[in-house]
Amino acid sequence: MKIGVLALQGDFAEHIAMLRRLGVQTAEVRLPEHLDDLDGLIIPGGESTTIGKLAVDFGLIEPLRAFGERHAIWGTCAGAIFLSKDVRREQPLLGLMDITVQRNAFGRQVDSFEIDLEVAALKAIDGKARPYHAVFIRAPIIETVGDGVDVLATLPDGRIVAAQQGKLLATSFHPELTNDTRFHAYFLSLIR
Ligand code: GLN
């Protein structure tokens, strides 16, 4: 199995390190042809406007859309924003996932925080139901999800922070910044 990480901007190196720990082949994706032999793609956290503009400049928008029609893609934080269909402002989006997102949903006062989440889907990874320690940095909230989208995790107040539509995955938080490989393993399980 070979998984690409979109390497235009943001913390792609951390995702690559996590994937290596799980023993899969990795590739940095900067050009359309880099998608050719991949089984899945991760879009990292960073700055969604920058990632979107660079994707336009490198001719990646349509190739990424076509890739996502057939393969698994997981967006973390800025990557989740880029995967969505609407953020209620002008910026390049892939529009692959039927979710609407509010950027920087926690404002300046609480721009970063960590919290334990219940993520039932992760139980399939190691058979245990332990909480998932999630890191949020200037994070978005998934405001609405379409009919074909499953909610994987919410904050205690009910706001959605992880969702799945078939082989497409969006998380508001950053599993690549923890030591816990379960979310990456879950993504690989969608491909296997
Ligand atoms: N606030 C960033 C954005 O709107 C996302 C932050 C992140 O990826 N940690 O693109």
Side-chain angles (χ1 to χ4, degrees):
M1 191 189 301
K2 188 170 176 186
I3 307 296
V5 182
L6 191 66
L8 301 174
Q9 189 267 338
D11 67 343
F12 53 87
E14 286 79 358
H15 274 296
I16 290 193
M18 285 297 252
L19 291 168
R20 288 201 178 131
R21 278 176 62 188
L22 291 171
V24 294
Q25 268 189 279
T26 60
E28 294 183 5
V29 173
R30 293 192 178 82
L31 294 170
E33 53 265 39
H34 297 161
L35 294 167
D36 286 349
D37 58 345
L38 300 180
D39 301 299
L41 178 77
I42 296 178
I43 305 176
E47 218 289 314
S48 60
T49 314
T50 307
I51 292 173
K53 283 181 180 158
L54 290 169
V56 170
D57 291 348
F58 286 90
L60 274 161
I61 297 285
E62 285 310 324
L64 286 171
R65 284 184 184 140
F67 186 86
E69 297 294 336
R70 288 172 290 121
H71 297 97
I73 304 185
W74 173 22
T76 60
C77 202
I81 297 168
F82 189 44
L83 269 182
S84 75
K85 66 167 192 193
D86 189 14
V87 296
R88 282 188 282 103
R89 49 177 280 173
E90 271 311 306
Q91 68 180 78
L93 299 175
L94 293 178
L96 282 166
M97 273 188 87
D98 191 8
I99 57 174
T100 66
V101 170
Q102 184 193 349
R103 289 179 62 185
N104 303 315
F106 300 94
R108 285 172 192 278
Q109 264 129 27
V110 231
D111 68 6
S112 302
F113 63 97
E114 300 183 17
I115 191 170
D116 282 347
L117 300 174
E118 298 302 329
V119 189
L122 295 184
K123 195 173 176 221
I125 300 303
D126 62 2
K128 294 182 199 130
R130 62 200 155 89
Y132 186 84
H133 189 74
V135 178
F136 292 77
I137 304 168
R138 290 181 292 284
I141 276 290
I142 301 170
E143 281 185 311
T144 62
V145 299
D147 285 342
V149 183
D150 297 318
V151 172
L152 296 187
T154 59
L155 293 174
D157 64 11
R159 287 187 288 174
I160 301 166
V161 290
Q164 178 178 346
Q165 177 184 330
K167 289 189 202 177
L168 303 174
L169 203 57
T171 57
S172 299
F173 47 89
H174 289 272
E176 73 280 16
L177 299 182
T178 70
N179 265 321
D180 191 338
T181 54
R182 281 180 295 162
F183 242 104
H184 287 77
Y186 182 69
F187 178 62
L188 299 182
S189 79
L190 303 181
I191 299 165
R192 282 196 177 104

